[in-house]
Amino acid sequence: MARIVLKFGGTSVADLERIHNVAKHVKREHDAGHQVAVVVSAMAGKTNELVNWVQTMPKVAGSGGSFFDAREYDSIVASGEQVTSGLLAIALQSMGVDARSWLGWQIPVKTNNAHGAARIEDIDGTEIIKRMGNGQVAVVAGFQGIGPDKRISTLGRGGSDTSAVALAAALHADRCDIYTDVDGVYTTDPRIEPKACRLDRISFEEMLEMASLGAKVLQVRSVELAMVHGVKTFVRSSFDNPEEIDSSPDARPVGTLICDEDDIVEKQVVTGIAYARDESQISLRRVPDKPGVSASIFGPLAEEYVNVDMIVQSVSEDGSRTDMTFTVPDADLAKAIKVLEANREKIGYEIMQSDKGLVKVSVIGIGMRSHAGVAATAFNALAEKGINIRAITTSEIKFSVLLDSEYTELAVRTLHSVYGLDKVA
Ligand code: ASP
Ligand code: MG
């Protein structure tokens, strides 16, 4: 008998029929003798609708006219999960399973005060553990908690993954099963490369990079939490027929286990290829090359919360001037340009150039730590296809290249094949 947290995303609870299907999954695990807690998202599209409603409301005066009261935002957008948790509890009860719904404040899931993007600080699992011991299923509304101000908080978009992993840690669960609309984590996006393979296992660290670098399976924060608390996280499909799945202790269901590196027997050099669109590149040309110049550029950008990612510096021939190239999300480009123009004199650049709509393609694998020349293989392969690389960054277990977006598909497929990730037919 195990203690498991099951999480179902928006598409899995998109309508009453699917909620009923989810209930069958839950009942199956419960009938197998496991202690079960469930975390649900709002119905697909619901949170977007709620966010839209807030955005259509008049803005609050006195805050520059550009903000909403974040506490009220949270109170509104958290409501989608209240509905699905209640509906799932009823569906379970109708199948003869003892079930009770829980909102964040009832547990409580305590967060910090960053309304709209709050972080979980503590979850009191006592009551739920007690009830699970008596055979009751806890159905928990994801995405929400309660702040120190005693008001509802939300964890940022996609936050119910984080709710699930944090709950699993608090309940000392043996596993956190993330049921979603795909049957696991793939070597790359199968919509771009049909030869992508489902991974049986991936390490926390690799998954963290995959999620941060564009793979959309899990919220980045949830993977961080899973890594810190060592929560075995299993990504699997909610569309599999609940009646055909074996939940016995030695069953091997289809999906991807995110686990400790030491639990992976066959370590690959490269595990996956991720991509992120909507990157902008900014180049400041002929900046004086002297101490403090980076600070004069990136300090003001940081103060305005512009997210700077890749940074490349190249020095001119006489060494007195340098070119500084870096990337920001497209959404931050206009703000970044404004900040840099305002600081033009202090920085001392001669020309500023920018390009929008670029793509960052990343290659990830823990095997890179012990293998030399992994990145060089990519550079050769991309060159052979005539793909120009605008910028490169590397770290211990990944490297990324910045490309024109028209090369996204070609680059992803080329790299997927050159590292031997293609499915063998
Ligand atoms: N319903 C929330 C959202 O759409 C949380 C989640 O789905 O994880 O962002
Ligand atoms: Mg989600």
Side-chain angles (χ1 to χ4, degrees):
M1 188 194 77
R3 184 177 293 164
I4 325 175
V5 172
L6 317 183
K7 184 258 168 176
F8 293 87
T11 44
S12 310
V13 294
D15 54 41
L16 296 181
E17 196 186 320
R18 288 190 185 171
I19 289 177
H20 209 72
N21 196 56
V22 165
K24 287 187 192 163
H25 281 291
V26 177
K27 179 170 162 41
R28 184 195 69 233
E29 299 296 333
H30 184 256
D31 288 353
H34 302 310
Q35 293 188 1
V36 182
V38 191
V39 173
V40 286
S41 292
M43 292 182 179
K46 191 69 205 176
T47 311
N48 285 344
E49 183 184 43
L50 296 168
V51 169
N52 259 324
W53 284 348
V54 179
Q55 283 172 344
T56 322
M57 295 295 284
K59 311 242 160 63
V60 177
S63 60
S66 56
F67 295 113
F68 317 101
D69 186 315
R71 285 161 197 79
E72 302 311 336
Y73 168 94
D74 276 349
S75 152
I76 296 157
V77 302
S79 65
E81 276 75 7
Q82 174 161 357
V83 174
T84 45
S85 58
L87 286 171
L88 180 56
I90 292 179
L92 285 164
Q93 290 168 359
S94 76
M95 292 174 181
V97 178
D98 182 15
R100 186 56 67 208
S101 71
W102 296 83
L103 298 178
W105 64 266
Q106 291 173 304
I107 297 175
V109 175
K110 289 191 185 153
T111 72
N112 67 6
N113 217 13
H115 283 278
R119 286 169 84 95
I120 296 177
E121 289 186 334
D122 181 55
I123 297 181
D124 183 355
T126 325
E127 181 65 20
I128 290 184
I129 290 177
K130 196 175 99 196
R131 292 184 185 218
M132 285 195 306
N134 294 330
Q136 190 175 77
V137 172
V139 186
V140 175
F143 184 48
Q144 55 171 272
I146 178 169
D149 55 0
K150 294 280 193 298
R151 305 211 63 94
I152 294 171
S153 54
T154 63
L155 308 180
R157 298 305 307 272
S160 52
D161 293 334
T162 300
S163 305
V165 172
L167 185 68
L171 300 178
H172 315 289
D174 299 286
R175 220 173 61 213
C176 181
D177 282 5
I178 308 275
Y179 284 81
T180 179
D181 51 358
V182 289
D183 62 359
V185 180
Y186 278 70
T187 46
T188 195
D189 184 348
R191 286 166 303 181
I192 286 200
E193 176 48 276
K195 291 188 204 126
C197 305
R198 186 171 40 76
L199 295 158
D200 271 334
R201 289 176 179 227
I202 183 170
S203 70
F204 290 121
E205 247 186 293
E206 288 168 318
M207 191 62 226
L208 188 58
E209 295 287 3
M210 292 276 270
S212 312
L213 295 167
K216 296 199 179 64
V217 210
L218 290 173
Q219 199 201 32
V220 176
R221 179 81 188 117
S222 70
V223 187
E224 268 168 23
L225 268 186
M227 184 156 95
V228 170
H229 296 285
V231 177
K232 283 194 174 163
T233 306
F234 188 59
V235 179
R236 57 191 299 183
S237 169
S238 68
F239 297 128
D240 293 341
N241 184 347
E243 269 112 38
E244 282 169 9
I245 297 172
D246 178 2
S247 293
S248 63
D250 356 275
R252 305 217 32 193
V254 174
T256 302
L257 184 67
I258 308 168
C259 59
D260 216 80
E261 199 178 315
D262 298 338
D263 296 331
I264 299 176
V265 186
E266 274 179 68
K267 292 193 178 62
Q268 310 290 328
V269 177
V270 169
T271 303
I273 317 285
Y275 66 93
R277 296 185 199 271
D278 306 324
E279 302 277 328
S280 288
Q281 174 178 349
I282 300 177
S283 293
L284 301 180
R285 305 269 179 227
R286 300 194 50 78
V287 185
D289 193 12
K290 56 172 198 224
V293 60
S294 298
S296 72
I297 298 171
F298 300 115
L301 289 172
E303 271 163 35
E304 291 300 319
Y305 301 104
V306 173
N307 233 319
V308 175
D309 180 21
M310 311 169 97
I311 301 177
V312 183
Q313 183 180 4
S314 50
V315 178
S316 68
E317 265 168 45
D318 65 1
S320 69
R321 300 250 153 193
T322 174
D323 284 353
M324 201 59 106
T325 295
F326 51 92
T327 64
V328 302
D330 279 352
D332 284 353
L333 179 62
K335 188 158 77 172
I337 290 177
K338 229 167 106 188
V339 171
L340 294 167
E341 270 167 0
N343 286 275
R344 178 171 195 149
E345 253 166 51
K346 224 167 79 202
I347 304 169
Y349 61 87
E350 279 177 21
I351 304 166
M352 172 162 51
Q353 291 164 322
S354 66
D355 281 302
K356 274 183 90 129
L358 307 174
V359 64
K360 182 174 70 170
V361 177
S362 306
V363 176
I364 296 133
I366 38 179
M368 277 186 216
R369 276 196 212 120
S370 47
H371 285 76
V374 179
T377 308
F379 304 151
N380 282 328
L382 295 174
E384 260 169 42
K385 302 279 176 180
I387 301 174
N388 181 43
I389 302 173
R390 288 165 162 264
I392 301 170
T393 52
T394 67
S395 71
E396 212 189 9
I397 65 159
K398 64 124 201 272
F399 64 88
S400 305
V401 292
L402 185 70
L403 309 170
D404 288 340
S405 68
E406 69 218 63
Y407 294 123
T408 311
E409 283 79 9
L410 182 60
V412 167
R413 288 187 200 132
T414 302
L415 296 175
H416 196 264
S417 135
V418 82
Y419 290 113
L421 298 175
D422 285 359
K423 179 158 50 191
V424 264

